[in-house]
Amino acid sequence: VSEPLCFINGDFIPASQAMVPVHDLGVQRGYCIFDFLRVTQNVPLFCNDHLERFYRSAKEMRLTLKQSKEELKTVIGQLIQKNQLPDSGIRILLSGGASPDGYQLVQPALAIIQQPLTPPADEIYQNGYTLVTYPHQRQIPHVKTTDYLMAIWLQPWMKGKGGDDILYQQNGIVSECPRSNFFIVTQSNTIVTPARNILKGITRKQLLEIAAANGFAMEERDISIDDIRRAKEAFIGSSTKRVIPVNRVDDIEFGPCKDDSVTSRLYDLFFQKEKQAIHDAS
Amino acid sequence: VSEPLCFINGDFIPASQAMVPVHDLGVQRGYCIFDFLRVTQNVPLFCNDHLERFYRSAKEMRLTLKQSKEELKTVIGQLIQKNQLPDSGIRILLSGGASPDGYQLVQPALAIIQQPLTPPADEIYQNGYTLVTYPHQRQIPHVKTTDYLMAIWLQPWMKGKGGDDILYQQNGIVSECPRSNFFIVTQSNTIVTPARNILKGITRKQLLEIAAANGFAMEERDISIDDIRRAKEAFIGSSTKRVIPVNRVDDIEFGPCKDDSVTSRLYDLFFQKEKQAIHDAS
């Protein structure tokens, strides 16, 4: 098996040789942003949306890219061409660079890596995820930083609680999962998702558009634990996982996903949109 | 000028060649701990205290070192011997390792780097630092992680406010500066420093011992903004900076440090302890 190539500081090199200086602020101080997009049938899905967000993250963190969006898009295309990993993930990282004093930002370092991606097992789309809530608010939440310290630290705790993923909450208001957005469906079939203190996902953006185009009622507002208790359905959305139903949040049971549920219809509509995107790109 | 050597994954190599894989969890997910100690006259100051804390941080984050404390101490001694940087800082980093799925912890990666250190200018010990408060609570605060995202992000804001450093607060209770502990001296000459939601510094530990040994009243408890307003003095303590007086916190003025102040006496006692430590090691 030949190993995939990465794009790092302007060169395509084998993944195992892709290195960053130990003095880089991404290593020393966790000062690093990224974006992650799914590749299906060699098509980088919703690539423009991901690049838009990546450049917004970079600007917010005062990291100045030498490359334009179009240039990055070309590099991503080259990487896909060279690696031939039709079902994979592409991660674009931008860190503060190798700072002489370990604190001042310097010329940022760019790395783009591609790795095979195993999709979630089919039964997960039926049985759903169990979420366990944890009191935490991500810092600078609107920026896609590499800060996943809490998420990784909580893994054994989460597994001990029987959870498949964590749902962050603060003072009874939930925000997001570490790598996906959270949604509920009310008794009157309104889809609700938090509007603040979160990272706005690209799948979330697509689902909002799908809901608007297909006559679903949709609200972006705070969700309390009581709102979840009163809800009919709950689900999460992410670039890797599309739409996954939630079967339980702490002690609140939803059970497996029904074929006529809003979650199920949204999944189908999202899958169609993805197919259209693949078709348009081919 | 020959460049200093680093110790990385078991080898001594030139600093500019010290690299970590881009797939390391320290880069990908900010999952990395460290410790930092000052070297003076080629002596690693309070090295045992720093190593104790480093191993506690590692344990808390489920990062298992192959090396014992004694072995790391030997490596630090070899690095000092080889580099001949009598006034410098040594940083010991331990990250989650190059994880295949970018989430699961694997064998951690160890790096030890040494860099020259410029001490703060003499007038800083007279004029002191201006602190500006910012509402933030570091995550997993009792562990020395590489999470300095907020601290670096706030640098332009802090400078715009005329600050020399940031003092984190939440709901009017202050905790710490990003790289140092905070202390006040009450009107009755009691030294007070926060006990919770902070990283317990090695200089803080030494100052507590010095205070106890020299008949100062000392309390570890929450400090409110009102407590600061009523205080006689304020100062910070850190391994790099020893004891630096605080001349202002937001709108609360303390002015420059007086020779007969508690801050000044603590600085002198700390400096003596440091000299003793150098003498004992030589």
Side-chain angles (χ1 to χ4, degrees), chain A residues 109-137:
Chain A
L110 174 72
I112 308 181
I113 62 181
Q114 188 179 18
Q115 283 179 295
L117 201 63
T118 312
D122 278 350
E123 63 260 32
I124 286 175
Y125 293 100
Q126 285 303 312
N127 299 341
Y129 262 21
T130 295
L131 305 184
V132 285
T133 64
Y134 188 85
H136 178 61
Q137 170 58 55

Side-chain angles (χ1 to χ4, degrees), chain B residues 29-82:
Chain B
R29 301 294 186 182
Y31 204 88
C32 189
I33 60 148
F34 77 109
D35 220 291
F36 178 85
L37 55 93
R38 182 157 52 92
V39 172
T40 303
Q41 297 175 38
N42 277 328
V43 173
L45 285 169
F46 310 120
C47 190
N48 289 338
D49 288 336
H50 285 283
L51 286 176
E52 283 283 341
R53 184 173 65 179
F54 182 67
Y55 277 77
R56 277 201 307 275
S57 294
K59 192 177 175 198
E60 182 72 10
M61 302 310 283
R62 303 189 307 280
L63 298 169
T64 311
L65 274 143
K66 278 185 293 197
Q67 294 87 346
S68 69
K69 259 175 252 180
E70 277 310 307
E71 286 172 307
L72 276 207
K73 219 173 155 173
T74 304
V75 170
I76 289 168
Q78 290 169 325
L79 210 55
I80 290 172
Q81 184 70 29
K82 286 173 198 286

Side-chain angles (χ1 to χ4, degrees), chain A residues 156-176:
Chain A
W157 172 85
M158 179 195 85
K159 283 167 191 161
K161 291 260 180 186
D164 299 301
D165 209 347
I166 298 153
L167 176 61
Y168 293 136
Q169 62 93 0
Q170 199 154 54
N171 304 319
I173 305 295
V174 303
S175 54
E176 61 193 351

Side-chain angles (χ1 to χ4, degrees), chain A residues 171-239:
Chain A
N171 304 319
I173 305 295
V174 303
S175 54
E176 61 193 351
C177 298
R179 296 184 286 180
S180 48
N181 288 118
F182 179 73
F183 304 74
I184 57 169
V185 180
T186 68
Q187 295 295 335
S188 58
N189 284 341
T190 301
I191 302 157
V192 187
T193 193
R196 56 186 188 124
N197 298 332
I198 59 160
L199 182 82
K200 293 187 174 172
I202 302 308
T203 302
R204 178 185 183 278
K205 177 178 182 282
Q206 294 296 334
L207 289 172
L208 288 172
E209 287 176 19
I210 286 168
N214 291 275
F216 288 93
M218 185 102 184
E219 286 175 17
E220 294 179 75
R221 62 161 169 84
D222 287 355
I223 297 177
S224 68
I225 298 287
D226 278 346
D227 289 332
I228 301 176
R229 206 173 289 283
R230 284 188 293 261
K232 211 160 78 170
E233 304 169 31
F235 62 89
I236 60 170
S238 95
S239 294

